[in-house]
Amino acid sequence: MKRMNEPRSKIHGSTSRASLGGTLKRYRKEQIIYSQGAPADTLFQIQEGGVCLITRSKYQLSAVTAILGAGDFFGESCLVSFPHRMSTAVALASSSIQVIERESMIRMLRRKKEISNSFLFYLLSSMKKYRDHVVELLTMSAEQRLACVLLRLAHLDKRASPLEGVIAINQQVLAEMVGTTRSRLNLFMNRFRKRGFVKYGSGRIEVYNSLQEVLQRS
């Protein structure tokens, strides 16, 4: 399982917020950053915190299509002239996010080969993550998908311990991420707590690395 605190490409390191330009903005937990269908003329890079992307269709329930952490970009489809947002972006926690104008980013990609190469590598890595997410939906049980989501969320903040992480998230949002009902989510969470994989209360969830055991079951 790839963790969100693994080393990232150089675009997340030496290519800092100063070299990418843009404006640093802060969002509170559960604040909507943009809504599906809104005009798309900026992209974003998370400096601290986490974001989930939620896609809704006219005849189906909403689905969480990505869980993003520090260093990740989102809204990048505007670079290929998609005029509207294809999903809704919501802050999972208090977050600091760099907002970059589309035209400014295009100029940088054209003029600076290092940034262009690093951004391409990032996009290819993102494609692999989306593919892995689809595989999880097709091959894993709902309980295992919940374990995957909790392990990712526990490492959204790079300051989190490698052995455990603390997250705070609305359970309905968590159920949407997993693709299950709130009642089944509660059943799985109680099971995890009894086995010592998680500890929760007052809206906070402590996630332990032992939760990996759920993913090792056939």
Side-chain angles (χ1 to χ4, degrees):
M1 173 63 62
K2 183 176 181 180
R3 299 266 184 86
M4 293 216 137
N5 62 339
E6 288 180 352
R8 301 179 182 273
S9 62
K10 200 169 184 179
I11 197 165
H12 306 290
S14 62
T15 307
S16 64
R17 68 180 65 163
S19 58
L20 286 176
T23 303
L24 184 66
K25 293 188 177 181
R26 302 187 185 280
Y27 296 87
R28 65 183 180 275
K29 179 185 174 183
E30 297 184 12
Q31 182 176 353
I32 294 176
I33 300 165
Y34 60 70
S35 297
Q36 186 171 332
D41 53 9
T42 53
L43 68 154
F44 304 79
Q45 187 185 34
I46 304 169
Q47 302 297 321
E48 182 179 2
V51 170
C52 72
L53 302 183
I54 303 171
T55 303
R56 293 182 172 87
S57 67
K58 186 175 181 180
Y59 302 106
Q60 296 179 352
L61 296 174
S62 60
V64 174
T65 53
I67 304 168
L68 307 172
D72 283 328
F73 287 87
F74 60 100
E76 64 270 25
S77 59
C78 72
L79 296 175
V80 288
S81 300
F82 279 91
H84 301 102
R85 302 296 185 191
M86 302 175 68
S87 60
T88 297
V90 181
L92 289 171
S94 297
S95 302
S96 298
I97 300 174
Q98 201 75 11
V99 183
I100 307 166
E101 295 293 330
R102 173 182 178 273
E103 296 302 325
S104 174
M105 188 67 178
I106 289 175
R107 285 195 298 271
M108 279 188 286
L109 293 175
R110 287 174 175 169
R111 296 174 183 176
K112 299 183 179 181
K113 184 177 180 180
E114 184 179 12
I115 291 179
S116 180
N117 290 341
S118 297
F119 191 65
L120 176 61
F121 178 81
Y122 170 81
L123 292 177
L124 292 173
S125 298
S126 295
M127 288 174 61
K128 182 182 183 302
K129 285 196 291 186
Y130 288 137
R131 183 185 64 191
D132 291 345
H133 178 62
V134 172
V135 171
E136 289 173 7
L137 292 175
L138 293 175
T139 63
M140 289 185 173
S141 66
E143 184 179 28
Q144 289 174 318
R145 294 199 302 271
L146 174 58
C148 286
V149 169
L150 289 173
L151 287 166
R152 288 186 187 129
L153 289 176
H155 292 83
L156 283 175
D157 187 341
K158 289 184 178 181
R159 294 171 299 179
S161 162
L163 297 178
E164 65 181 78
V166 179
I167 58 177
I169 187 170
N170 180 287
Q171 286 203 2
Q172 184 57 46
V173 173
L174 189 57
E176 289 182 6
M177 290 180 182
V178 175
T180 190
T181 63
R182 180 88 174 259
S183 59
R184 290 195 75 200
L185 179 83
N186 288 333
L187 174 66
F188 299 145
M189 289 296 293
N190 286 332
R191 190 178 297 169
F192 291 168
R193 179 168 58 180
K194 289 178 181 177
R195 298 188 64 185
F197 297 154
V198 302
K199 180 180 179 182
Y200 58 91
S202 303
R204 294 168 64 84
I205 306 172
E206 292 183 31
V207 182
Y208 301 96
N209 239 3
S210 56
L211 185 58
Q212 296 271 5
E213 292 180 22
V214 177
L215 306 180
Q216 297 168 6
R217 297 204 302 261
S218 59

